[in-house]
Amino acid sequence: MSIAFLGLGNMGGPMAANLVQNGEKVTGYDPDPHARDTAAGAGVSLVDSAVAAVASARIVITMLPSGAHVLDCYREIIPAAAPGTLFLDCSTIEVTDARAAADLATTGGHSALDAPVSGGVVGAAAATLTFMVGGPSEAYIAAEPYLKHMGKKIVHCGESGAGQAAKICNNMILGVSMIAVSEAFALGRGLGLTDQALFDVASTASGQCWALTTNCPVPGPVPASPANRDYAGGFASGLMLKDLRLAQAAAHAEGIPTALGKHAEQLYTAFVDQDGPGRDFSAIITSLTKDGPA
Ligand code: NAD
């Protein structure tokens, strides 16, 4: 079954490469020359337009920056796809955009799933991504073998948009908990606690969470966390801010009060304005500690 892969950037490039590694025939398109070269080196057949990529495909995977990109792309390619093509959007976008994209595909005679991921570029390269999938069961069953080539954990979350909903809810927890952990280290330092002492207690007590035990925002207690390399790599603050904004857009649309999610979005907005979008999101601790950078 031929697969069209549109968006061969930091995430899509290695995901497409893993499909090729598993014996799939992948035709790709990306306007960026660097993304094209890297994908070609990984065995993806490159073409000159999104329409050309979908012409011979039965599955179309998109990994694009935003909902506007996905909707524009779908409007362009849906008429060119063979009837009954499976559209799989792995980008992180608004729930409403995901539903609109699925509507475009189904109205055009195709099936569609939203399947955003967590695991970052490391998970994309290692094929250990988690996929959160929304859409009809038949489409999910058809997509699952291909998702398994790119990921380790695949969860069917419900109908169209449910994958995006799960993704933004999870990342709202993550953004809020990283700020809570960072504030605790700041307060601990003010009270004369060492970072290690606070970690030793909280990591095995009721304060335990991923933001503390895996992605610890202070250097030392968790040697693999980005804090030990000046917050290089990891999950970029700009992407955390994007996801917190998507969560707020959804909360606003649904009239759900999310006071901490809103505050987290404000703090990450201020942090990204000051520090830029590139460092790991745990670097927010450098804006919360009394003496500045940890
Ligand atoms: P990226 O900017 O590296 O890649 C996006 C690619 O899409 C670019 O190469 C761009 O040229 C290409 N593109 C734009 N319009 C296109 C079109 N019409 N047709 C084909 N290609 C087109 O971004 P990324 O880091 O790969 O992220 C992609 C998506 O994955 C985003 O929605 C992001 O939020 C999500 N995501 C990223 C991470 C991460 O750690 N990078 C983690 C989880 C989810």
Side-chain angles (χ1 to χ4, degrees), residues 6-7 9-12 29-32 35 63-65 69 91-92 117 120-121 167 239 242:
L6 310 176
N10 292 322
M11 295 294 290
Y29 171 70
D30 192 302
D32 180 72
M63 194 51 166
L64 300 173
H69 285 89
S91 326
T92 303
V117 303
V121 290
K167 163 94 185 173
L239 287 172
K242 172 187 173 180

Side-chain angles (χ1 to χ4, degrees), residues 266-281:
Q266 291 164 345
L267 288 175
Y268 270 100
T269 298
F271 177 63
V272 168
D273 278 352
Q274 165 219 311
D275 198 73
R279 294 207 291 173
D280 182 74
F281 77 114

